Every structure is written in structure tokens, then in C-alpha cells.
Amino acid sequence: MTSSQFNAKGRLHHLLTLADLPRDSLMALLERAAQFAVKPGAAAPRFDLLTGTTVAILFFEPSTRTRTSFELAARRLGAEVITLDLAFSSTMKGESLVDSLYTLQAMNMDLFVVRHGEPGVPETLAQHALPHVHIISAGEAHISHPTQGLLDVLTIRQHKRDFEKLAVAIVGDIRHSRVARSAVQALAILGTRDIRFAGPAELLPDDLAGEKFTNMDKALEGADVVMMLRIQKERMQAGLIPDEREYSRRYGLDGARLKLAKPGAIVMHPGPMNRGVEITSEIADGPQSVIREQVGNGVAVRMAVMAMLMSK
Ligand code: CP
């Protein structure tokens, strides 16, 4: 899909995908996010970069991390924030998404954060937005979750410096994962070539470059980063993958399996986790886990994206 996220001057105006993001823009976002990052327990500073602007948050799918962190990010930059309760919005009465955009734009919204299960929605909204209005994808079907990709590489960068030498194992339902697609795009921009995918054959991707394994142990050998993905239980019910116990036996990350990765390998998970299925609590809460760092970095990354898009 051709992205219209750049304006006529070649500046990033929307954030819809990482697929065509120049390395310079990615690095600038990571540097900015690193400045916004706050250590756990420290007071979060406030900024006035978005003072006088209004951010609308529209989630058509459930979310805990992404929605909350976008709200926090916008508020910490000084914006007014409107989070639409879609269960009580006029989309329930059949109003189209583009009409909802026009309606909210008429109330002087400056930036829309959108999560939707249909492919193409962020792009469509970007095409219909007023010239000064920005659209950020907070998750598009199985296709893209650009701010998740950014927070993932920011987290990796805090632990591992040289992306070109990294071996990254991504495990689980990769075929249906927007998280995996955006992570792979970000890693590719940063020069990571050794990306391995592990999971049941039915859930391995056919559109991503990387080595594919149905044997998870082989994918983990010598990995620097182990990225576990949420197993989507609805796919078990549809018979696409084995039952929970069998899935866990073949593709769950536990202490014995993690020993196959490099000493000092980091363990990531975008959340929400199915503890005891794709990952044991011992690992999720253990010393190699950076899962809660990913969550914290989500706020910093979303601040960086909004600050960059809205800067004059
Ligand atoms: N990682 C992620 O997108 O989590 P949420 O669905 O809770 O936003």
C-alpha cells in the first residue's frame, strides 16, 4: 500500500506505518523518545509543546496500554484530550468513519489517534483529513502498529547497541500480528538481518523476510532478543493451532528454553500476556524480562511522535 504519511515537502505528517520511514526519521523519533523517557517511580515532567491543541482518541478495538499511553502522552505535552466512548458514539447509529472525522474536525481537533480492525482505515482518514490535521495509527488490523514497533526498538536499544549484529527470535502467532510486522520493519531499517520466526506452520508469516521455524528451540539458539507474542485463543477454538497445553509445551517460553538464547538475552512481550501459555510468570517477571520497560517506553515514544508531527 502506498502511504500518504508524508506531506508535499516530504515531512512526516501522519504516522500510519513504519514501512517507508526513512532511517533518519526513525532515529530522530528514538532520540526524542529517549529524552521523554522517565525512570519508573520518577515524576513525569510536563511540557507545553501541544498547548492549545486537541487530540482525539478513537479506539474501535480494546486496548489497555496503547490507549492509556497515548492519553498520558498528549496530556504530558499540554494537549486537551478527548477519548470517544465508541459504544455510545454515532458510529453505532451507522455514521461512517469519514463522517465522524469531518464532525470532530469541525470541533477543531488537531490530531486523531485511531485503532481499527479493518485494513486501510488510518490511510483513509489521512486522505480525508484537513491539511493541518494529523492521523496516528494505534493499530491497523494485522497490518501495522507503528508506535509499538518504535517502542520495541527503543527498548532493545536501551539494552543492545548494535542492531546489525542482533539475532531476534519472534515467537507465536506472527501471521496475524501487527506487532510483529511493525517490529520487523523497524528492525530492518536499523540493519537487523537475523530475524527468526517460530510458531505452528499455520501461524508463520508468508509476507515477512526471515528464517522460519516450527521448532522453537532452534529459533532461540543464540538469540539476543526473544519477542513472545500473545496467542490468540480464538484461533485455538477455530482449530488453527493445538490446544493450550500442547501450544504451551511446543511454543511456551520457560526457564529451560530461555537458556538456549544468549546469556543476557532480553525477553519482550507487547501484552496482554497469557501467563502460563506463551510465557511463564518466572520469565515474564524475571531478570531478563523488559516487558514493563516496553510499557513505560510506550508513553515516551507516543510523546515523541506527537511532538514531531505537530512541530512547526
Ligand atoms: N501492545 C498493545 O497494543 O497493547 P494494548 O492492546 O493493551 O494496547
Side-chain angles (χ1 to χ4, degrees), residues 16-237:
L16 312 178
T17 175
L18 300 180
D20 59 0
L21 202 66
R23 185 185 160 88
D24 287 357
S25 303
L26 177 61
M27 292 307 293
L29 282 168
L30 295 183
E31 294 302 335
R32 198 79 194 270
Q35 290 163 7
F36 286 129
V38 181
K39 291 205 167 19
R46 301 294 193 268
F47 301 85
D48 60 5
L49 298 169
L50 267 58
T51 300
T53 68
T54 307
V55 172
I57 303 205
L58 279 60
F59 273 60
F60 294 85
E61 286 186 330
S63 169
T64 296
R65 281 145 283 269
T66 313
R67 199 180 93 164
T68 311
S69 59
F70 266 115
E71 283 189 20
L72 277 176
R75 288 188 209 286
R76 287 180 185 168
L77 291 172
E80 184 178 21
V81 180
I82 303 295
T83 300
L84 219 67
D85 189 342
L86 289 161
F88 295 98
S89 78
S90 286
T91 53
M92 291 291 129
K93 294 188 278 185
E95 185 169 66
S96 76
L97 284 173
V98 171
D99 275 332
S100 297
L101 172 77
Y102 291 156
T103 302
L104 295 168
Q105 277 186 161
M107 297 181 216
N108 298 81
M109 305 289 164
D110 301 285
L111 188 152
F112 290 81
V113 175
V114 183
R115 171 175 287 191
H116 205 288
E118 288 292 319
V121 166
E123 180 82 26
T124 300
L125 295 180
Q127 283 165 1
H128 288 84
L130 288 170
H132 73 280
V133 168
H134 306 272
I135 307 290
I136 300 176
S137 168
E140 176 191 357
H142 62 286
I143 291 173
S144 182
H145 193 348
T147 54
Q148 179 74 42
L150 290 170
L151 76 87
D152 285 342
V153 290
L154 177 65
T155 307
I156 294 171
R157 201 174 80 138
Q158 289 165 344
H159 291 270
K160 312 273 173 200
R161 275 283 156 194
D162 197 346
F163 277 87
E164 292 180 13
K165 294 191 180 142
L166 286 185
V168 179
I170 304 179
V171 183
D173 181 1
I174 302 154
R175 183 180 290 247
H176 302 99
S177 174
R178 56 190 173 210
V179 171
R181 283 186 178 73
S182 288
V184 168
Q185 287 160 359
L187 288 165
I189 293 167
L190 295 170
T192 306
R193 286 179 297 277
D194 187 352
I195 301 180
R196 306 129 180 220
F197 303 114
E202 297 78 6
L203 301 184
L204 290 173
D206 46 23
D207 60 331
L208 294 175
E211 207 173 345
K212 299 178 182 78
F213 298 86
T214 51
N215 181 334
M216 176 181 176
D217 293 1
K218 292 215 178 322
L220 290 190
E221 278 169 19
D224 300 283
V225 176
V226 181
M227 185 180 291
M228 301 303 298
L229 298 177
R230 180 175 76 90
I231 193 63
Q232 295 166 38
K233 293 187 179 176
E234 59 274 21
R235 301 195 198 290
M236 281 175 183
Q237 281 144 20

